[in-house]
Amino acid sequence: MQKLTRSKHNLQAARVDYLPQGCQTCFMRLKIMRLRLGKKTKMEQRGTDLRPVLLTLDEVATVLRKSPSQLRWLIHNGKAPRSAKIGGRRMWREADVLAWIDAQFRDAA
């Protein structure tokens, strides 16, 4: 598999269909790269009137570049992004995770 780069040409050519099955890390990196290049997420394209995109613990850990156990520790200490238990699973809204990341940079400055 080719390494994904930040160039606009490679990003347009890269589609989720071509990623290996179960490669959530690659998918999340692609999503983050699209955000950095100013592309709209699926949530922004659909509008806010539809249901939000929900992320699992592993997906949020990938976005934050933490291990799942490190994310569980942040939850325990009350320092993780806002989440809720839905059907016995802890889930995060994509918008909440991105807002939490922005807040971390605002607070650090």
Side-chain angles (χ1 to χ4, degrees):
M1 188 171 127
Q2 289 182 335
K3 186 177 179 183
L4 295 178
T5 60
R6 290 184 66 170
S7 73
K8 199 171 191 178
H9 174 70
N10 287 344
L11 200 61
Q12 289 172 349
R15 292 178 36 206
V16 179
D17 304 344
Y18 298 112
L19 294 176
Q21 192 174 22
C23 187
Q24 295 174 351
T25 304
C26 297
F27 179 71
M28 292 307 295
R29 285 183 185 159
L30 179 64
K31 197 179 231 184
I32 292 168
M33 287 169 49
R34 284 185 177 157
L35 288 173
R36 288 182 182 161
L37 291 173
K39 298 214 178 225
K40 291 186 176 184
T41 62
K42 288 182 182 179
M43 180 83 172
E44 293 168 337
Q45 291 172 355
R46 291 187 315 208
T48 56
D49 57 336
L50 297 176
R51 59 185 172 195
V53 176
L54 297 177
L55 304 173
T56 63
L57 184 118
D58 290 334
E59 292 169 336
V60 173
T62 302
V63 170
L64 299 178
R65 294 186 180 177
K66 300 271 186 198
S67 68
S69 60
Q70 287 174 321
L71 181 56
R72 286 187 198 98
W73 182 251
L74 288 173
I75 294 166
H76 175 73
N77 290 330
K79 297 181 180 181
R82 204 169 83 185
S83 64
K85 278 203 168 183
I86 300 173
R89 293 180 71 185
R90 184 151 311 269
M91 303 294 282
W92 286 262
R93 287 185 287 208
E94 181 184 32
D96 288 343
V97 174
L98 297 176
W100 183 83
I101 292 170
D102 290 339
Q104 296 303 305
F105 279 100
R106 275 193 306 267
D107 295 343

